[in-house]
DNA sequence: CTGAAAGCGCTTACAG
DNA sequence: CTGAAAGCGCTTACAG
């Protein structure tokens, strides 16, 4: 006698349950949705059968009426290896996932890039598989943003500042953070400060550069053309850029480098070591991200920590508010970064904070 | 005159399109699904209207019949900060996401932990929101695996070797990789080799320990009790464990440490530096994961690279084959790791490979 | 308190 | 080649 083959019956429907309980489907539905208007005994009986049969109402059928998927799409433009190199995403993703779960939403992950990814995203939204979209690593001028707007898909961009009707954004004060860092360097007596930045098509990098310029200008200092560079979020780029700068004649050589990421800064550090330049004695150095590796380099990196948890949470809440069609919702938000001081630059921070 | 307010009409249905085209809903459906049996003119006309109206059939309605969601759940037990500390997941996730996209599946991310996460997962599967489940960081004996099996939800576990009927697994040869590493150490003349491992409730860590034992036993060496340790995937743990070992009397001190992760190894390295022990001269050291930080420590870490891309792809394919109910499917798979040699231990590797 | 019926947006035999 | 009708699994007024 086969023991547990009773599990092989195909998916139960509400009608099966109704039949077993000797009631109509409508009554089972009312019990399922904890609606009033069902006799206590009947209700108990139906509940028991539901329990023992392990019945669950089909999500799709249930939501044909509601016309909502209670899912939101989280879209990454980067490939997996880029994600790997830029480690802010896991934390962001975790915060978004937790918030959505609390609000009863599900998270759909969309990776890949290019036209194919875009078509997929647009379709999923149009088909109603996702109710809204979160874009955490969009490049400047990515046409997906306009396409989403045209389709009226509720959308929130992270780390950019799109100004469109149906689109909201959440960012952190990249510019202010770098400005503070440069001011600290200026206070410590540095005048030859270079900014080795990430890619120019990241709005965040533009902001970081802007913060650098603001501080330099306020101090009445000119910025040498090769002291302001856009590149890639890679150690190789950091190495190259720093090496070429450090080989200049001493009066044109930077005494401080503000890097666009910790990985870039780590590359700069390697270059300095290779050229016998001591950090922080002969060159001070700062990063961005508060990447794990920032604590393992020698010296450990002074860096900027983005409020990733808060950004993720805020973006998720904002998007849900869009989806619900709430009227008085916040459509933009800038959250503060935090400067983390370590050995690569301790400068005048103490005095600033004191 | 408001320009683009014509976009505010509520969601179009197949009946609206049918009406506009002067045909029945059935005919529109046939065009939508590229089925034969529609006149060329009619088809063209309907397609034009669909195009111009930007109509997309509702995914939910469409799949009421198919009873498939074409979504699979990717479940993480760890919290976001743990994910952050253990950086194998982004790459795994990317490989899984890309493969699923190619196969027409969507990826639903489920984070969080404990009973709440489990209930959510079980419900999503029972409701038909997801067709199957991928478990990439399950702890040994996690009861979710049995619950999923009881519910007959197609499931594939990564990094563990569950033996159940409806459950498949994909792993890498953690044991063999560590065994190789230890053999290399033995060949280089080491006899005092310690294994500072990750948590004991990760099956991968058990395997790594097993590989260590196998090699030691084969060499006829006894393993001192405090030379085999389980701990946490953290630099702090690595530091503590290494520090206490390195302070022993010289004949009880290890000359080599095989760490359970790069982060642990980085902690060991810090301890060595703090105690004035030179790496690799006085102590050789290996990690696991090929984390970015492994290239930035001094010396850079010899480590083990898991075949994450292949694991992700294989797991996705295996799960889809389960979902499709294919008969002759592979239900288990072990993929090979790769040893990455860097400065922290160059030992007899050359001779092994030569 | 409970049931029969219509409807959600689509698909699919079945007629014609 | 095309349409009318039944059905997918649920919910929701409307009767009784």
């Amino acid at each position: 006698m086969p023991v547990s083959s009773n599990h092989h019956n195909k998916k139960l429907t509400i009608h099966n349950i109704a039949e077993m309980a000797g009631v109509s489907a409508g009554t089972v539905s009312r019990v399922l949705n904890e609606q009033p208007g069902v006799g206590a005994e009947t209700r108990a009986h139906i509940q028991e059968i539901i329990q023992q049969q392990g019945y669950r109402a089909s999500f799709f059928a249930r939501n044909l009426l509601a016309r909502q998927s209670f899912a939101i799409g989280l879209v990454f433009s980067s490939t997996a290896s880029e994600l790997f190199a830029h480690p802010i995403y896991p934390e962001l993703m975790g915060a978004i996932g937790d918030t959505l779960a609390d609000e009863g939403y599900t998270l759909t992950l969309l990776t890949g890039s290019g036209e194919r990814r875009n078509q997929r995203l647009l379709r999923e939204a149009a088909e109603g598989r996702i109710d809204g979209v979160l874009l955490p690593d969009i490049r400047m001028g990515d046409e997906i943003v306009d396409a989403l707007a045209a389709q009226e898909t509720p959308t929130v961009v992270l780390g950019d500042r799109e100004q469109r009707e149906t689109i909201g954004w959440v960012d952190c004060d990249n510019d202010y953070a770098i400005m503070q860092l440069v001011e600290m360097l200026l206070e410590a007596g540095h005048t030859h400060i270079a900014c080795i930045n990430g890619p120019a098509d990241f709005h965040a990098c533009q902001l970081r550069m802007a913060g650098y310029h603001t501080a330099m200008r306020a101090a009445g200092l000119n910025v040498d053309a090769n002291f302001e560079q856009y590149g890639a979020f890679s150690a190789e780029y950091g190495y190259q850029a720093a090496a070429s700068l450090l080989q200049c004649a001493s009066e044109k050589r930077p005494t401080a480098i503000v890097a666009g990421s910790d990985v870039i800064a780590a590359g700069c550090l390697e270059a300095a070591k290779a050229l016998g330049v001591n950090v922080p004695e002969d060159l001070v150095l700062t990063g961005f991200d508060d990447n794990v590796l920032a604590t393992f380099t020698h010296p450990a990196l002074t860096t900027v920590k983005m409020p990733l948890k808060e950004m993720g949470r805020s973006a998720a809440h904002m998007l849900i508010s869009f989806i619900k069609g709430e009227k008085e919702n916040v459509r933009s938000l800038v959250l503060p970064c935090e400067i983390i001081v370590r050995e690569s630059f301790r400068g005048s921070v103490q005095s600033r904070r004191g």
Side-chain angles (χ1 to χ4, degrees), chain A residues 246 253-254 269 271-284:
Chain A
L246 292 173
R253 203 180 298 153
L269 185 57
K273 283 186 184 166
L275 295 168
V277 174
N278 292 321
V279 178
E281 296 79 1
D282 307 332
L283 176 75
V284 302

Side-chain angles (χ1 to χ4, degrees), chain A residues 96-119:
Chain A
I96 290 170
D98 293 349
T99 307
L100 290 177
D102 287 346
E103 301 288 332
Y105 281 76
T106 257
L107 201 171
T108 295
L109 198 64
L110 287 146
T111 53
S113 61
E115 197 51 29
R116 192 142 167 275
R117 199 275 323 269
N118 289 358
Q119 290 312 322

Side-chain angles (χ1 to χ4, degrees), chain A residues 22-92:
Chain A
V23 297
S24 73
T27 301
V28 176
S29 174
R30 276 169 218 126
V31 171
L32 238 31
N33 296 292
E34 296 176 329
Q35 281 171 7
V38 180
E41 273 186 49
T42 320
R43 183 180 300 266
H45 182 214
I46 294 173
Q47 266 163 345
E48 194 182 355
I49 293 178
I50 289 175
Q51 270 291 321
Q52 123 202 347
Q53 297 292 327
Y55 167 72
R56 291 283 194 181
S58 150
F59 182 81
F60 285 1
R62 186 196 278 261
N63 279 85
L64 243 195
L65 289 282
R67 229 171 318 254
Q68 267 206 63
S69 65
F70 292 100
I72 76 102
L74 179 61
V75 182
F76 285 105
S77 310
S78 309
T79 63
S81 58
E82 287 177 72
L83 278 186
F84 187 60
H86 210 163
I88 65 169
Y89 298 117
E91 189 159 358
L92 206 50

Side-chain angles (χ1 to χ4, degrees), chain A residues 176 180 183-184 187 348-354:
Chain A
Y176 185 73
Q180 274 186 295
E183 283 177 359
M184 282 159 52
E187 279 182 37
S348 53
V349 193
Q350 306 300 345
S351 69
R352 265 186 86 80
R353 298 230 164 144

Side-chain angles (χ1 to χ4, degrees), chain A residues 239-295:
Chain A
Y239 189 100
Q240 305 283 1
S244 89
L245 249 32
L246 292 173
Q247 286 174 92
C248 293
S250 73
E251 83 276 7
K252 302 201 122 197
R253 203 180 298 153
T255 61
I257 294 180
V258 174
S261 80
D262 291 336
V263 172
I264 295 175
C268 296
L269 185 57
E270 294 295 308
K273 283 186 184 166
L275 295 168
V277 174
N278 292 321
V279 178
E281 296 79 1
D282 307 332
L283 176 75
V284 302
L285 194 57
T286 68
F288 210 105
D289 290 340
D290 196 30
N291 191 324
V292 245
L293 78 82
T295 61

